[in-house]
Amino acid sequence: MPCADIPSPFPTGWPKGRYRDTRRAMKALRIADHLLRRGLAYTPGEATDEVIRTAARQSGHRHPSETTCALVRAVLELLLSPTNTASPDEDEASSAVRVVVTIDRPTA
């Protein structure tokens, strides 16, 4: 992994789950980027678990879980969906999109 891709350390004091979820989201973003740049998947439907795991292997990531694969598909859907929400009065530079992704974990 090139030095520029190494994430900076997180602030201390976060709950353990927040570190895990943040790292999972960062991994999903990097895998989705790899899928799009290499042309392995252009839609969330094309991004099967097998395709995502192959992309993870190619990009030097460990074997992603089903949750991470689902998050990669969510990222692809977000990146590929039209997001032009600016009203005619606003220019596009002043509009912002905020996305919150939640991960539902099955309770055992």
Side-chain angles (χ1 to χ4, degrees):
M1 181 184 279
C3 186
D5 293 340
I6 298 174
S8 61
F10 294 115
T12 57
W14 281 4
K16 189 179 249 185
R18 186 170 177 187
Y19 287 111
R20 182 183 55 245
D21 293 344
T22 302
R23 291 225 181 263
R24 176 175 285 157
M26 290 170 52
K27 180 179 181 178
L29 286 168
R30 288 191 299 267
I31 294 171
D33 178 62
H34 183 82
L35 286 169
L36 291 171
R37 287 179 186 260
R38 306 290 174 168
L40 299 173
Y42 294 106
T43 65
E46 293 175 343
T48 63
D49 286 357
E50 183 178 331
V51 170
I52 292 170
R53 289 183 175 132
T54 300
R57 220 177 7 260
Q58 290 173 350
S59 61
H61 291 89
R62 292 179 57 185
H63 186 80
S65 66
E66 288 180 18
T67 304
T68 303
C69 290
L71 191 54
V72 169
R73 282 187 286 278
V75 167
L76 285 173
E77 186 170 335
L78 176 70
L79 290 175
L80 300 173
S81 67
T83 58
N84 189 2
T85 58
S87 66
D89 306 5
E90 301 177 19
D91 61 352
E92 290 185 27
S94 67
S95 65
V97 176
R98 180 168 188 228
V99 177
V100 177
V101 177
T102 57
I103 301 170
D104 293 329
R105 290 193 198 100
T107 55

